[in-house]
Structure formats: structure tokens, C-alpha cells
Amino acid sequence: MANNLQFSIAVHLLAGLACGCDQKGITSGHLAESVNTSASFVRRTLAKLSKAGLVETATGKAGACWLAKGAKNISLLDIYKAVDAPKAFTIHDYSEQKACFVSCHIKTALEKALTKTQKAMESSLAEISLAQIVSDVKKK
Amino acid sequence: MANNLQFSIAVHLLAGLACGCDQKGITSGHLAESVNTSASFVRRTLAKLSKAGLVETATGKAGACWLAKGAKNISLLDIYKAVDAPKAFTIHDYSEQKACFVSCHIKTALEKALTKTQKAMESSLAEISLAQIVSDVKKK
DNA sequence: TGTTCTGCAACTATTGTAGTAACAGTTATG
DNA sequence: CATAACTGTTACTACAATAGTTGCAGAACA
């Protein structure tokens, strides 16, 4: 644990919805079975996806959820941002030691490197669509 | 916390060594001041870098450490691998629900996506050398 | 021989995340 | 209208990874 699983869980959930495991709507309880966790945790993740406009939900007795767009129009980057997954790496946050100029300026240098790396990672994610994932799943 | 800071700390340490804050060797205690942590923690990180062949150390009273190669020949990817930093994202590890084929096959689909993304991230890190970081630090 | 460093291992504390539980709000349905 | 079944949200517990500390054996040098 301690590592962020929400991203892969979110992809799992969306893949499940995209496969249209059945009709037009699936309940969180149903999804929870597939991911093997509690319905409540599914809903928490789903809530973020919903806020990001990737899924739509209906409340009430016949409550359910479904994809808000076609699987082709959802990239892994959309999902990555929706669940607020962690950056490529984290910059430490020690107080600066004035006597050492490395200590004082390393942060900006690291930020520059992080920006570049993050961009590379995100554009890679952007190239993968949910439809691609679904087709990989079905291929097996 | 809980996030992995060792990578950025390692870069900080190496940048300190590369700047040759002074003579040819620096003690872990000295480095610790710059990073603002204990000497022992610095040594733990340094040990990984040493195993990866990025720094060399001397024991004994006049113990110290210094870069094993020129800063131009050390990439952030070398450092990333040396400290065993986490992957771009983590794949969840739930037991498969045989009734749901998404559950059974999502893992391989995710692995494929992870491989691609990881590669993008690593090649981005490979393009940044420690010398680049040092020059950014000095520029300020 | 004593000092001062590294190297290593064991330990504690912190904290982010998974996972659970509970409850109010909503809407089909009988 | 009452009930049942779902969502949405918050508060809580449990756990595990990491930062940070401490202590000690071993090495080198004066």
C-alpha cells in the first residue's frame, strides 16, 4: 500500500463500464465485486471520475453509472488527472541552509527537471485511450 | 511524506558533491547540513548511490565521499534507478473474479500501459544530466 | 591508542492510503 | 404514501511505507 492504487482501480472501473458488462448501467456494488473491494470505496473513486466528467451517475433506487463519453474519447491522462495521481517524483521540502547555495537553489533546478519528466509521462498517457485498454482486455 | 523523497534528496546530494562545495571529499555530516537531515540518513542514501557506482567513499578517520564519474556522465535516470524510485503508477493486486473477464485480464492491459509510460518517463530522465542540474543551480 | 569517520542494522514516529461504517438524500416501485 | 435500493459524503480505523533516530562495529589516520 502507501502507493497510490486509485489510478489503476479507476482504469479498471472504467474498463468495466466500457465493456458494458451488460446493459446501460451498473451499480457500484456490482463494480465492487469485479475490483474486489467495498462498494463505498468504489463510489469514492467514482465520485472523482464523475467530477471530471468521465462518468455519469443516477441516484435513487435504480441508481447506476455509465461512461459519459465513448471509450475512444477517454485517455489514460484524463483518468490520471481525474484521480489526482502523484507526480513522477516528489521534491523534498527542507528549509534552506543559507550557507550552502546548492541547498538554496536545488529546488528550482529540480522543478525544472520534474516539469520536463512529468510532461513526457503525461503525453505518453495521453496516447493511450480507454478503448485501447478494453481491446487489450478482450484480446485475451 | 509516504511519498518517495529519496530521489530528490539523492540529486541534491550529488549536486552538492558535483559543485565541489570545496575540496575533493565531503563528509556525510557536511552533506547532512545542506539537506538538513541526519548524517546517518545521508549515508543510507549514499550507500545506494555507491552501490550503483555513482559515488566513491573512503572509510576511516579522513573518511569522505566524492563523485565516481564526471557530472556530465551521470543522468537523472542513473540516480532514479540507483535509489530504486517508484514506478510511474502502481497496479493493484486484487484477486481475480472469475465471473468477470475484465477483472481477469485488466492486469496485463495495465502492465502494457505502464511499460510504455515508464519508458517515456525514463528516457526523459536519461536526457537530463547532473551537470545540467548543477548549471541550473549555479545560474541562480 | 584514541579519534573520527563510514557502514549497517534495529528501532520509533509519521502520515498517506486502503478499507469500513454510518447516515442523509433521492427515486423507482408496490 | 411507504418501502426498498441505490448514490454521495463524511468520519473513522487499520496498515504499511517512509523519514528520521540511535547505536555500534570496523577502518584509517595522527
Side-chain angles (χ1 to χ4, degrees):
Chain A
M1 237 155 294
N3 246 323
N4 194 317
L5 300 178
Q6 275 210 16
F7 174 71
S8 56
I9 290 176
V11 174
H12 186 155
L13 293 177
L14 291 172
L17 292 177
C19 278
C21 269
D22 25 59
Q23 46 282 14
K24 56 178 181 176
I26 309 182
T27 68
S28 64
H30 208 109
L31 282 170
E33 279 177 30
S34 170
V35 182
N36 209 33
T37 184
S38 69
S40 188
F41 185 57
V42 169
R43 284 207 294 275
R44 195 192 306 167
T45 304
L46 230 36
K48 289 186 181 177
L49 298 174
S50 168
K51 268 173 199 150
L54 301 181
V55 302
E56 288 176 353
T57 60
T59 59
K61 180 172 180 182
C65 56
W66 58 89
L67 290 183
K69 329 181 195 177
K72 281 183 188 170
N73 301 317
I74 297 180
S75 71
L76 292 196
L77 179 58
D78 293 328
I79 305 172
Y80 175 85
K81 286 185 172 169
V83 299
D84 198 33
K87 302 287 187 207
F89 59 87
T90 312
I91 298 178
H92 61 303
D93 194 28
Y94 297 114
S95 63
E96 299 177 355
Q97 298 296 312
K98 281 161 201 139
C100 175
F101 70 91
V102 175
S103 171
C104 294
H105 302 306
I106 188 73
K107 210 172 286 184
T108 45
L110 279 172
E111 270 161 13
K112 186 176 162 189
L114 174 56
T115 301
K116 177 187 166 83
T117 304
Q118 187 69 23
K119 209 169 282 178
M121 182 175 140
E122 292 190 0
S123 65
S124 168
L125 286 173
E127 286 167 14
I128 306 174
S129 72
L130 183 57
Q132 177 68 50
I133 296 287
V134 170
S135 109
D136 283 349
V137 167
K138 285 187 174 162
K139 211 176 292 173
K140 302 297 148 51
Chain B
M1 240 153 290
N3 246 323
N4 195 318
L5 301 178
Q6 275 210 16
F7 175 71
S8 56
I9 291 176
V11 174
H12 186 154
L13 293 178
L14 291 172
L17 292 177
C19 279
C21 273
D22 25 60
Q23 45 282 16
K24 56 179 180 175
I26 308 182
T27 68
S28 63
H30 208 108
L31 282 171
E33 279 177 29
S34 170
V35 182
N36 210 33
T37 183
S38 70
S40 187
F41 185 57
V42 169
R43 285 206 293 274
R44 195 192 305 165
T45 304
L46 230 36
K48 289 185 181 177
L49 298 173
S50 167
K51 268 174 198 148
L54 300 181
V55 301
E56 289 176 352
T57 60
T59 58
K61 179 170 181 182
C65 57
W66 57 90
L67 291 183
K69 330 181 195 176
K72 281 184 188 169
N73 300 318
I74 297 180
S75 72
L76 292 196
L77 178 58
D78 294 327
I79 305 173
Y80 175 86
K81 286 186 172 168
V83 299
D84 198 33
K87 302 287 187 206
F89 60 86
T90 311
I91 298 177
H92 60 305
D93 193 29
Y94 296 113
S95 63
E96 299 176 357
Q97 297 297 309
K98 280 160 201 141
C100 176
F101 71 91
V102 175
S103 172
C104 294
H105 302 305
I106 188 74
K107 209 172 286 183
T108 45
L110 279 173
E111 271 160 13
K112 186 176 159 187
L114 174 55
T115 302
K116 177 187 165 81
T117 304
Q118 187 68 25
K119 209 170 283 177
M121 184 174 138
E122 292 189 359
S123 66
S124 169
L125 285 174
E127 285 168 14
I128 307 173
S129 70
L130 182 58
Q132 178 69 49
I133 297 288
V134 171
S135 109
D136 282 350
V137 166
K138 284 187 175 163
K139 211 176 289 173
K140 302 296 149 49

